[in-house]
Amino acid sequence: MDLIATTADLAEACTRLSAHPFVTVDTEFMRETTYYPKLCLIQMAAPDGTGVLVDPLSPDIDLAPFFALMADEGVVKVFHSARQDLEIIWLLGGLLPQPFFDTQVAAMVCGYGDSVSYEQLVNDVAKAKIDKSSRFTDWSRRPLSDAQLSYALSDVTHLVKVYEVLAGQLLSTDRGEWLDEEMSVLTSPETYRADPASAWRRLSGRMRKPREIAVLMEVAAWREREAQSRNVPRGRILKDEAVIDVATSAPRSVEALGRLRSIPAGFERSRTGTDILAAVERGFARDLSDIAPPERTRSRGGNGALVELLKVLLKAVCETEGVAPKIIATVDDLEAIAEDDAADVAVLHGWRRALFGEKALALKSGRLALSAERGRVVVRDLA
């Protein structure tokens, strides 16, 4: 098993792969010490069993032929749990694979569970077992052993059978359109753009005071820019706990910053400390009238029991239809329905409404009932 290490060899391999209706794709990468993922290996396979391993770390390789294959609209690109793979392709190639198929999403539609692992899917669908001995390999080190390369290649060769089975199931059940919404999120560039201006949202938690949020916005944006420019993890710049402490305490002096327990001793007098204080001042300069607190978690009020009933209904419907609950509705969706028949949630639109939404509304209005028979929940129409 030789690694492709030159542009010419990669171009020849991609030309061969492009002759097939689909190719399976996987990547190995490292990001423990970096902000952006470091691509270390590319694996591809064709329906005829042909496997290809590409060394993106080779000094003699340009990945342009690989990106051209990813953009080839005549070839379906098949991944499993593709989000991080697509992020790498977007960052390095400036494109997202089209057409695209994620077997993890397809497995949810086909009833294999909410987040079925690749190992379990291969076992269930391809009737094969994956050797996990190389799972925690440092893929950036060279040379890679035959065992490591074999493990990497098996990820895409088994995926051929998984894709063929799932695609057949989707065709036979006419559920192909159910994937469209999930796939559209994965193939949207917005999914992979790390905008510093939005970095505060993942840390906002229960903050409600506009001043705290204003400071958080500026400190989180500063940290994100620093992490991106230096290509290091966010925590190497400033830990989440410290960002939140700064936002809530809003220190405006070196002494005040140094008193925060989450700030390392002496940190406040460094260049980074100066940058943090400058970010705090920018937060104070913000117009608070433009800052709306994050939407509060929906309160169940007196609808807690109804939400629990809707959960039971969802599980019963999904067991009957052979689909994972996660792809139909979230707990937030159920809480919204419990409060409002006209809630603007995905489950009350399109195929989700036909499959579950109408039943949920019928349960609310007393036109549908749940009962137990022989250890199973039975849905009964009372209309």
Side-chain angles (χ1 to χ4, degrees):
M1 282 177 288
D2 293 328
L3 280 171
I4 289 177
T6 68
T7 305
D9 286 345
L10 176 60
E12 190 275 331
C14 288
T15 297
R16 284 188 286 107
L17 291 171
S18 68
H20 296 277
F22 72 89
V23 294
T24 56
V25 189
D26 190 24
T27 65
E28 306 296 347
F29 56 90
M30 306 290 290
R31 70 185 315 167
E32 286 80 5
T33 60
T34 59
Y35 180 91
Y36 297 107
K38 179 181 180 181
L39 180 60
C40 301
L41 190 67
I42 300 171
Q43 308 101 281
M44 294 181 285
D48 64 0
T50 302
V52 171
L53 296 173
V54 182
D55 184 3
L57 300 181
S58 169
D60 300 318
I61 200 165
D62 181 333
L63 295 179
F66 169 71
F67 295 130
L69 177 60
M70 293 299 98
D72 187 339
E73 295 190 359
V75 183
V76 177
K77 273 67 69 173
V78 181
F79 296 77
H80 180 82
S81 189
R83 190 183 185 101
Q84 295 189 84
D85 301 306
L86 298 194
E87 178 189 9
I88 292 172
I89 293 171
W90 167 252
L91 290 172
L92 297 182
L95 59 89
L96 289 165
Q98 289 288 353
F100 158 76
F101 190 97
D102 189 323
T103 55
Q104 186 177 69
V105 178
M108 287 194 287
V109 172
C110 293
Y112 288 91
D114 279 343
S115 298
V116 62
S117 70
Y118 181 63
E119 179 185 356
Q120 186 62 49
L121 198 57
V122 167
N123 183 69
D124 292 348
V125 176
K127 308 304 179 186
K129 289 189 177 182
I130 294 177
D131 178 4
K132 298 183 288 185
S133 61
S134 298
R135 174 171 293 180
F136 301 109
T137 286
D138 179 351
W139 295 104
S140 67
R141 301 187 71 173
R142 295 294 185 270
L144 294 171
S145 69
D146 284 346
Q148 291 168 327
L149 296 177
S150 178
Y151 167 85
L153 193 59
S154 70
D155 275 352
V156 286
T157 53
H158 290 316
L159 194 55
V160 170
K161 181 63 174 179
V162 171
Y163 168 70
E164 291 174 337
V165 171
L166 292 179
Q169 290 180 9
L170 289 172
L171 185 63
S172 66
T173 56
D174 197 26
R175 292 181 176 180
E177 68 174 292
W178 292 19
L179 299 179
D180 292 346
E181 185 175 324
E182 298 291 329
M183 298 296 187
S184 67
V185 172
L186 288 170
T187 55
S188 168
E190 294 305 316
T191 301
Y192 308 101
R193 289 194 178 111
D195 181 7
S198 301
W200 67 278
R201 296 186 181 280
R202 57 182 291 272
L203 299 173
S204 58
R206 298 181 180 179
M207 286 186 184
R208 292 290 171 261
K209 296 178 181 179
R211 177 62 65 204
E212 292 179 351
I213 295 173
V215 174
L216 176 65
M217 286 177 168
E218 293 295 339
V219 176
W222 161 79
R223 183 181 70 160
E224 200 76 10
R225 289 191 297 269
E226 282 288 299
Q228 290 175 351
S229 65
R230 291 161 56 180
N231 193 24
V232 297
R234 298 180 186 94
R236 292 278 185 93
I237 306 297
L238 196 64
K239 294 187 181 300
D240 287 354
E241 177 190 2
V243 174
I244 294 169
D245 275 358
V246 171
T248 54
S249 302
R252 305 186 74 178
S253 69
V254 170
E255 293 74 21
L257 180 60
R259 285 195 292 269
L260 297 183
R261 294 179 61 182
S262 59
I263 298 295
F267 200 75
E268 72 276 10
R269 299 188 181 278
S270 66
R271 182 187 70 82
T272 299
T274 300
D275 290 343
I276 293 172
L277 291 172
V280 171
E281 290 303 320
R282 290 195 296 273
F284 271 86
R286 274 182 170 267
D287 183 354
L288 300 186
S289 64
D290 293 335
I291 296 176
E295 184 178 348
R296 290 182 181 272
T297 301
R298 184 173 285 107
S299 172
R300 291 190 182 183
N303 294 327
L306 177 56
V307 172
E308 295 304 316
L309 272 179
L310 289 171
K311 288 181 181 178
V312 175
L313 175 64
L314 176 61
K315 188 169 184 179
V317 169
C318 289
E319 285 180 352
T320 299
E321 298 292 336
V323 61
K326 182 179 179 180
I327 206 167
I328 302 297
T330 65
V331 173
D332 282 348
D333 292 338
L334 300 184
E335 291 177 356
I337 295 172
E339 291 181 5
D340 182 3
D341 286 4
D344 186 17
V345 289
V347 73
L348 291 183
H349 298 282
W351 64 268
R352 289 180 175 87
R353 183 179 183 114
L355 186 73
F356 174 75
E358 291 291 353
K359 293 181 178 66
L361 297 177
L363 180 65
K364 277 189 67 178
S365 64
R367 294 179 286 111
L368 183 146
L370 302 174
S371 62
E373 289 185 9
R374 299 177 183 176
R376 295 179 62 85
V377 173
V378 176
V379 180
R380 297 189 181 281
D381 189 351
L382 301 180

